[in-house]
Structures are given as C-alpha cells and as structure tokens.
Amino acid sequence: MAIERTLSIIKPDATRRNLTGQINARLEEAGLSFVAQKRVRLTPEQAEAFYDVHKERAFFEDLCNFMITGPVVVQVLEGEDAIAKNREIMGATNPANADAGTIRKDFAESIEANSVHGSDAPDTAAREIAFFFSELELVG
Ligand code: CMP
C-alpha cells in the first residue's frame, strides 16, 4: 500500500444534475483527499487529446462530443491506493455492471454518460494529472 495520486473527472451528465457535492462527499468519506480541483469546459481539442488512447475505438467521436456538452470538474485525489480505491468507488464503466453503492450504479445514465472518470494505472494517472494541472496547483 502506498500513498498515490489519481485524476478524477466529474463528467457533464453529473455537473448538469448538480451531483458534484454528492460525488465529492463519497470520495472524501472513502478516505481520499482533494489536492486540486477545478471546473472547466473542455475544448474539442482537449477532449480528443485527453482520450487519445481511445482514438481507434468506435465510441471515440461520441465520447469526445459528450465531454464538451457541459462543464466538467477535474480533480486530483490523494490517499492510500488512491487509483484502485477511486475505481472501486466509481464502479464498472457500464453502470449496468456496476456494484450497488458505487457512483456509477447510483448516478450514471449510460456507458457514455457515466458520471465520472478515474485514472486506471500509475503511469496513466501521472499523464492525466499533468494534462490538467501544474505542480504548483497540487496542494497536498
Ligand atoms: P472513462 O473512464 O472516461 O474512459 C473512456 C470512456 O469511454 C468511458 O469512461 C466511457 O464513458 C466511454 N465509453 C463509451 N462507450 C464505451 C465502450 N463501449 N466501452 C468502454 N468505454 C466506453
């Protein structure tokens, strides 16, 4: 077990329904701390660059279009095993497969409008955090 940092995004379907506070409360209650957070509107170029790893997937264009339909909240979470812990709290990508009590089970509308994103591994977390935040903005 180690103290890790991970990138989390509250997606447009969740900001539109005013779920930011409820999602943040779940993250804090699970022992994760916020070391950075900001509300932004992604440009099409930013959405495409962020999801570059998925550019060959059939859902890439729809996903990028969805991510610019409204504001998102990008945040850096810190805690013991933060990457795995955040993914546990989020639940499976497809809300139909998500465990009871997870964010996606309780809030997601579909596999695309699935309320939250979380980094899936340490190297991805480092890349995704640097995509949105400078070192100066990470306040532990
Ligand atoms: P996220 O964790 O943000 O990473 C990529 C996103 O693509 C994923 O959540 C889903 O919202 C979205 N997506 C849409 N369709 C699919 C699919 N068939 N398989 C995986 N991810 C999908």
Side-chain angles (χ1 to χ4, degrees):
M1 298 261 277
I3 300 291
E4 292 176 334
R5 287 178 174 179
T6 189
L7 186 91
S8 164
I9 304 179
I10 301 179
K11 296 187 179 184
D13 66 284
T15 60
R16 177 169 43 78
R17 289 175 289 150
N18 263 352
L19 293 171
T20 301
Q22 289 186 63
I23 291 172
N24 282 356
R26 289 183 183 215
L27 298 171
E28 288 191 331
E29 279 159 14
L32 296 170
S33 304
F34 293 96
V35 298
Q37 176 167 255
K38 59 190 172 192
R39 181 174 164 102
V40 296
R41 265 182 195 274
L42 298 181
T43 65
E45 294 74 22
Q46 285 173 321
E48 285 166 21
F50 182 79
Y51 280 118
D52 188 61
V53 288
H54 296 306
K55 65 172 182 287
E56 307 302 335
R57 308 288 293 271
F59 59 79
F60 178 71
E61 198 180 332
D62 284 348
L63 171 63
C64 292
N65 286 336
F66 165 66
M67 290 299 287
I68 62 170
T69 57
V72 298
V73 177
V74 292
Q75 46 195 201
V76 180
L77 308 174
E78 183 178 83
E80 280 284 337
D81 272 332
I83 297 167
K85 186 177 283 183
N86 184 41
R87 290 178 71 80
E88 198 180 304
I89 302 162
M90 289 192 305
T93 304
N94 186 345
N97 302 328
D99 288 341
T102 60
I103 291 170
R104 284 166 168 165
K105 185 67 171 183
D106 291 344
F107 298 133
E109 296 178 322
S110 66
I111 191 169
E112 179 177 278
N114 65 354
S115 302
V116 283
H117 165 83
S119 308
D120 63 1
D123 55 337
T124 330
R127 180 185 86 80
E128 292 182 351
I129 290 169
F131 186 92
F132 286 112
F133 296 98
S134 72
E135 275 296 325
L136 275 177
E137 293 176 299
L138 304 177
V139 184

